[in-house]
Amino acid sequence: MEPAAYGLRESATFDRATIHAIQRAAETGVYDIRGWGAKRKLPHFDDLLLLGASMSRYPLEGYRERCDTDVVLGTRHAKHPLRLATPVTIAGMSFGALSAQAKEALGRGASEVGTSTTTGDGGMTPEERGHSKHLVYQYLPSRYGMNPDDLRKADAIEVVLGQGAKPGGGGMLLGQKITERVAGMRTLPVGIDQRSACRHPDWTGPDDLAIKILELREITDWEKPIYVKVGATRTYYDVKLAVHAGADVVVVDGMQGGTAATQDVFIEHVGIPTLAALPQAVRALQELGVHREVQLIVSGGIRGGADMAKALALGADAVAIGTAALIALGDNHPRYDAEYRQLGSAAGYFDDYQDGRDPAGISTQDEELAARLDPVEAGRRLANYLRVMTMEAQTLARACGKAHLLHLEPEDLVALTIESAAMARVPLAGTNWIPGEGL
Ligand SMILES: Cc1cc2nc3c(=O)[nH]c(=O)nc-3n(C[C@H](O)[C@H](O)[C@H](O)COP(=O)(O)O)c2cc1C
């Protein structure tokens, strides 16, 4: 008989996972480190709905009427802005966290559909550069793998100030993933746990960012767009400061955003949801008169065309995906369930990123495991997924009467809950009430 059947009640405060966490801490004396993003339920794009057209709006016909998807990023200062065929990009994920095969597959998949991929903490691999049509190079606080030659090889540069999974903190890479190749690129010892810096060594405030951006422009002859990536916290102010510092593109990563490895307490308790950050970022850009001139990329929990359409309607120019791209490559696939269970996880739980023993060959540096991932096949899967995502967004945009994905607007949205209405600043469905507006 189930315990509930003879009257035992579960505690909402001390649920099973909480009890297990306390037991685990008591036994080991170390905090929990894991990958993936926040697992708690947060207000998200599911709490918004698009208003399709009917009498007062005119829908577009799917087979005959176009709905364009292209986007140009970095139009403010760069001589060569990035021209992408679809407004979904692959977020920065490090070589080290991911295998060289996975990085190559990301490049192949993104290139097949005409979008960009991004390096990460740990530098640029030749496989990744070779297979990425548009490659964004991350300039991170750790400076692992950073060198001016690779800056010049990139198509855009992303200065990373923070990530949604851990704003104010640095990531981790456990010793089991620090092979000779990873260590060589990072100039670190082999096999020793490593924590990335939480802030740039030559940075004490936004004025230093302005100097840094100028330096990067000089090194790259003003050719490449410069992005600034922030974890979502005080987003309104951060976006304004990034624009003042000279960013061409601002990337806002909400707290649902994935990570390769960091403290669980960080992932679940720091930052604000993507849905709350996005309208703040748009308001900051609008007040500065640069909305659409400085492009906005939003990430953190983007899963498909509906999320993308809603993010664009709220004012983003593009979205970025990390976790969903890894799932598309084949990560945590049920066929490996037995092997994930041997790691103390299970397929679909994604609690193994930090471990370095990913049976799918994606978040590992083990040569045998990594060889299981065929970059061509995995790239094809990613390209399929990106195509589906784009078609889904187009279907929704056409239903709203839009001939371009970027024509979606807040007026196309309503909210299902009071909290999402307040965060997204769109009316609660069936009313014209936006909580907090006019106060
Ligand atoms: C395996 C993995 C590795 C990551 N490595 C980096 C990194 O090196 N630099 C960085 O800025 N963000 C890194 N991120 C965060 C992503 O760039 C992005 O902000 C996040 O994944 C977006 O959220 P999503 O995973 O829900 O799509 C990583 C994420 C994952 C899942």
Side-chain angles (χ1 to χ4, degrees):
M1 203 165 43
E2 285 297 309
Y6 50 89
L8 293 184
R9 284 199 298 160
E10 286 283 351
S11 163
T13 309
F14 286 85
D15 60 13
R16 302 280 113 186
T18 307
I19 293 168
H20 183 265
I22 295 171
Q23 289 165 341
R24 197 208 57 79
E27 272 155 34
T28 63
V30 292
Y31 48 53
D32 193 17
I33 296 174
R34 68 167 174 89
W36 187 257
K39 291 193 172 184
R40 61 156 78 207
K41 184 160 172 48
L42 294 163
H44 199 36
F45 293 105
D46 285 339
D47 300 317
L48 301 183
L49 296 172
L50 287 150
L51 293 174
S54 56
M55 291 273 267
S56 59
R57 301 285 184 282
Y58 193 71
L60 297 186
E61 171 53 52
Y63 290 118
R64 298 197 189 90
E65 287 169 318
R66 290 169 61 149
C67 175
D68 292 330
T69 61
D70 57 306
V71 62
V72 187
L73 301 176
T75 49
R76 191 184 185 197
H77 295 302
K79 282 191 218 161
H80 303 311
L82 243 58
R83 295 178 187 281
L84 306 183
T86 177
V88 48
T89 70
I90 306 300
M93 292 182 277
S94 68
F95 168 64
L98 301 184
S99 62
Q101 286 85 337
K103 291 296 283 175
E104 177 182 331
L106 292 171
R108 285 177 179 272
S111 302
E112 196 176 320
V113 301
T115 191
S116 62
T117 188
T118 312
T119 65
D121 217 358
M124 182 191 283
T125 65
E127 296 95 321
E128 182 177 33
R129 176 61 279 186
H131 293 284
S132 303
K133 188 168 174 219
H134 309 285
L135 183 60
V136 183
Y137 183 69
Q138 284 200 329
Y139 187 80
L140 292 121
S142 69
R143 306 282 158 83
Y144 293 146
M146 207 313 274
N147 73 68
D149 291 335
D150 287 345
L151 276 174
R152 293 191 192 104
K153 280 187 211 152
D155 301 296
I157 294 160
E158 181 168 294
V159 181
V160 178
L161 297 184
Q163 271 178 249
K166 46 180 188 266
M172 298 187 165
L173 193 66
L174 300 187
Q176 55 267 39
K177 284 183 154 187
I178 315 228
T179 58
E180 262 178 41
R181 184 173 180 199
V182 174
M185 284 177 68
R186 296 178 184 224
T187 54
L188 285 172
V190 176
I192 308 280
D193 290 354
Q194 166 254 298
R195 193 181 63 78
S196 298
C198 66
R199 58 168 199 258
H200 287 262
D202 45 3
W203 154 280
T204 54
D207 290 346
D208 292 328
L209 177 61
I211 296 168
K212 186 54 63 191
I213 289 178
L214 214 50
E215 269 175 32
L216 293 169
R217 288 201 195 284
E218 290 293 326
I219 294 174
T220 55
D221 200 19
W222 290 74
E223 287 180 350
K224 328 224 177 233
I226 312 263
Y227 302 9
V228 172
K229 175 177 180 177
V230 291
T233 56
R234 296 174 182 85
T235 305
Y236 170 76
Y237 297 106
D238 290 345
V239 169
K240 283 202 164 177
L241 290 168
V243 170
H244 280 302
D248 295 310
V249 175
V250 181
V251 183
V252 175
D253 190 29
M255 81 171 278
Q256 291 99 325
T259 177
T262 202
Q263 297 94 331
D264 174 79
V265 71
F266 222 134
I267 300 175
E268 295 291 349
H269 296 280
V270 184
I272 63 171
T274 307
L275 190 64
L278 169 50
Q280 284 195 24
V282 173
R283 185 158 63 96
L285 294 172
Q286 284 170 340
E287 283 179 11
L288 293 173
V290 295
H291 185 218
R292 306 291 184 205
E293 183 194 339
V294 171
Q295 286 80 31
L296 175 65
I297 303 179
V298 168
S299 58
I302 303 285
R303 301 153 298 178
D307 289 348
M308 168 152 91
K310 292 170 190 175
L312 299 179
L314 285 176
D317 295 275
V319 296
I321 56 168
T323 304
L326 301 185
I327 298 172
L329 295 187
D331 204 12
N332 265 250
H333 197 279
R335 72 171 166 270
Y336 295 121
D337 187 54
E339 288 176 75
Y340 283 114
R341 282 177 193 273
Q342 281 170 10
L343 301 174
S345 186
Y349 283 87
F350 296 87
D351 280 333
D352 61 290
Y353 280 1
Q354 71 290 347
D355 228 68
R357 301 283 314 153
D358 180 9
I362 294 171
S363 58
T364 182
Q365 298 303 320
D366 181 285
E367 280 183 19
E368 270 178 37
L369 294 174
R372 288 183 181 184
L373 188 80
D374 174 357
V376 177
E377 164 63 13
R380 190 190 57 77
R381 290 169 60 97
L382 175 62
N384 275 344
Y385 165 68
L386 293 171
R387 271 189 214 104
V388 169
M389 195 168 164
T390 306
M391 286 190 292
E392 284 176 346
Q394 279 175 303
T395 304
L396 296 170
R398 279 200 188 93
C400 295
K402 306 291 154 86
H404 198 294
L405 289 185
L406 293 178
H407 294 173
L408 285 161
E409 53 195 320
E411 201 261 342
D412 293 313
L413 292 169
V414 290
L416 278 173
T417 63
I418 293 176
E419 60 190 7
S420 59
M423 288 181 191
R425 291 162 210 254
V426 299
L428 191 65
T431 78
N432 57 5
W433 181 45
I434 302 178
E437 195 117 297
L439 291 179

